[in-house]
Amino acid sequence: MSRSSSAPATAGEVFALVRAGAATTRSEIGHHTGLSRTAVAARVAALQDLGLVVETEEGPSTGGRPPLTLTFGAGAGIVLVVAIGRSRTQLAVCDLAGELLRTEDLEQEIGASPGELMPKVAAHLADLRDALGPGAPRTVGIGVSLPGTVDTVRGCSLDSPMMAGWDGVELQPFLADLGGAPVFVDNDANVMVLAERLGERRQLDDMLLIKASTGLGAGIVSGGVLQRGAVGAAGEIGHTKTAAAQGVLCRCGDVGCVEAIAGGWALVRDLQEQGRDVTHVRDVVALAVGGDAEARRMIRDSGRRIGEVIAGAVNLLDPAVLVVGGDMAEAYDVFVAGLRETLYRDAVSVATRALQILPWSHGDRSGMIGCASMALDQVLSVRAVDRMVAERGR
């Protein structure tokens, strides 16, 4: 990858090459950037001073000085992660490579307000961070995900039928005592699709992720870019109207939403009406995986109804991969059998001919990993690293 800009490459651009593994030696940096040896040395030194780049001897010497390898200093800082759900919040501490160092599941009362939940979240995050010991790196960012539409600028829920009392409540003040790190907030399905963009699926630039859990949502990557839409409502598929739900009341207060017949909460409702002892979609999934015929039928029907709705999205976006995530992904084969049935029936054949349908890569860790990825893409961006270098040089 060679640069087209006439301006000399900055330290942030050099770091981006090292972080991506595109350059592992000073000479490779010079090749990619056109910088002189002196300029490369200055930028590498600035990054080493921040701990973001580590230079080590690697391999036997062939005569003279042993070869030196540049690697990403993933231990130079940590990010804190909060994936908030309706009844469970997942917490984590991650290094700068997004590796989970400490995790904790925090169960909560359904309908808990920000004032009730967020102080507990802050306290538990502090405990997780402190468990790393007195020499723990500084906290450089905090990533938070929420169900529903999110205002990413203000860092708050914008419209979530699932989280009453959260809309408009900025979350940064609740987390201000955790080292003063910047807080980044996004929708839960959005961070999940960011998690899918790591590892082997990094090169997939057109991807649609379906989160089939208590609620329904989608994360969209098109042309390699996460699509949030004009007001952050891209992917809010759960409240798409469908004929099969005509007259059925949804928890959003409207009628006819696909979530009212295919969301996890609707499956729980229907089983409870049959006298079954279930309280969460995870209970329904456990029954299905255990062979319960009624639970399996419900999850397959959920896949069918969601397939009807997302067929239009597949026609519109033409993704290379459709990823199935959320609690229902634990009954993947049953759910996808129904999904395929209607998706391939209703979408145009040219859009489904080469479409891959795959389970999520990281299972129930997806939200945590995606929150870390979201925060790290901000705090380790070229601009952010250049700012850190400038501030250290003052």
Side-chain angles (χ1 to χ4, degrees):
M1 180 181 71
S2 58
R3 300 177 74 253
S4 58
S5 172
S6 59
T10 66
E13 290 172 311
V14 168
F15 171 72
L17 289 170
V18 175
R19 184 186 178 205
T24 59
T25 66
R26 294 179 183 231
S27 62
E28 288 177 351
I29 290 173
H31 171 74
H32 283 290
T33 64
L35 292 171
S36 68
R37 292 178 64 183
T38 301
V40 169
R43 285 154 178 75
V44 169
L47 295 170
Q48 288 176 307
D49 191 39
L50 291 168
L52 293 176
V53 166
V54 178
E55 192 169 36
T56 56
E57 294 183 4
E58 186 170 302
S61 172
T62 57
R65 185 177 179 179
L68 297 175
T69 298
L70 297 169
T71 56
F72 170 33
I78 56 173
V79 292
L80 306 180
V81 164
V82 187
I84 298 173
R86 180 169 174 257
S87 61
R88 179 182 65 171
T89 294
Q90 295 177 296
L91 310 175
V93 180
C94 302
D95 66 15
L96 297 189
E99 293 294 325
L100 301 175
L101 304 177
R102 296 282 192 280
T103 65
E104 180 183 0
D105 284 359
L106 182 62
E107 301 296 331
Q108 70 218 38
E109 291 292 329
I110 294 175
S113 69
E116 294 168 327
L117 178 62
M118 291 306 296
K120 296 178 184 177
V121 165
H124 282 258
L125 280 178
D127 290 343
L128 285 177
R129 178 198 60 193
D130 294 345
L132 296 178
R138 70 186 182 95
T139 302
V140 300
I142 302 173
V144 183
S145 68
L146 289 168
T149 306
V150 170
D151 185 333
T152 58
V153 175
R154 294 177 56 207
C156 63
S157 172
L158 184 62
D159 180 26
S160 176
M162 184 175 169
M163 304 287 285
W166 287 70
D167 292 352
V169 180
E170 297 181 16
L171 302 186
Q172 188 278 333
F174 293 104
L175 305 172
D177 292 336
L178 294 170
V183 177
F184 307 97
V185 185
D186 209 335
N187 165 266
D188 53 2
N190 284 351
V191 302
M192 286 180 179
V193 81
L194 289 178
E196 292 300 316
R197 293 269 292 158
L198 303 173
E200 295 179 357
R201 298 180 184 177
R202 180 181 296 275
Q203 303 304 318
L204 296 173
D205 287 341
D206 295 280
M207 181 186 299
L208 178 63
L209 176 140
I210 302 303
K211 185 198 175 192
S213 196
T214 297
L216 305 177
I220 304 163
V221 170
S222 183
V225 179
L226 176 65
Q227 304 297 322
R228 294 187 176 91
V231 296
E236 286 295 316
I237 63 168
H239 303 286
T240 303
K241 300 297 183 289
T242 180
Q246 184 175 3
V248 181
L249 180 65
C250 182
R251 60 181 178 171
C252 72
D254 206 344
V255 295
C257 304
V258 65
E259 199 177 276
I261 56 171
W265 66 269
L267 273 58
V268 170
R269 175 201 63 204
D270 292 347
L271 276 179
Q272 287 177 339
E273 289 176 353
Q274 296 178 23
R276 306 292 294 275
D277 184 20
V278 294
T279 59
H280 193 277
V281 65
R282 290 191 291 271
D283 300 331
V284 183
V285 169
L287 287 172
V289 171
D292 185 279
E294 181 63 5
R296 291 174 68 85
R297 181 194 65 77
M298 284 185 168
I299 288 177
R300 181 165 181 151
D301 281 350
S302 175
R304 287 192 185 100
R305 300 310 184 192
I306 294 170
E308 291 171 345
V309 168
I310 66 166
V314 169
N315 289 347
L316 182 66
L317 298 169
D318 186 25
V321 173
L322 174 63
V323 177
V324 175
D327 289 319
M328 286 193 232
E330 302 307 310
Y332 178 81
D333 290 342
V334 178
F335 180 84
V336 171
L339 180 76
R340 288 180 181 275
E341 184 179 321
T342 52
L343 173 61
Y344 283 87
R345 181 195 70 195
D346 295 347
V348 297
S349 60
V350 68
T352 58
R353 188 176 301 151
L355 178 68
Q356 297 183 71
I357 301 178
L358 301 172
W360 54 354
S361 301
H362 307 286
D364 66 0
R365 300 180 303 153
S366 181
M368 294 185 288
I369 291 171
C371 282
S373 178
M374 169 187 63
L376 288 167
D377 283 348
Q378 297 289 330
V379 300
L380 296 181
S381 68
V382 169
R383 182 176 298 180
V385 171
D386 284 337
R387 187 165 55 247
M388 284 189 272
V389 169
E391 291 172 352
R392 179 60 68 93
R394 289 175 184 169

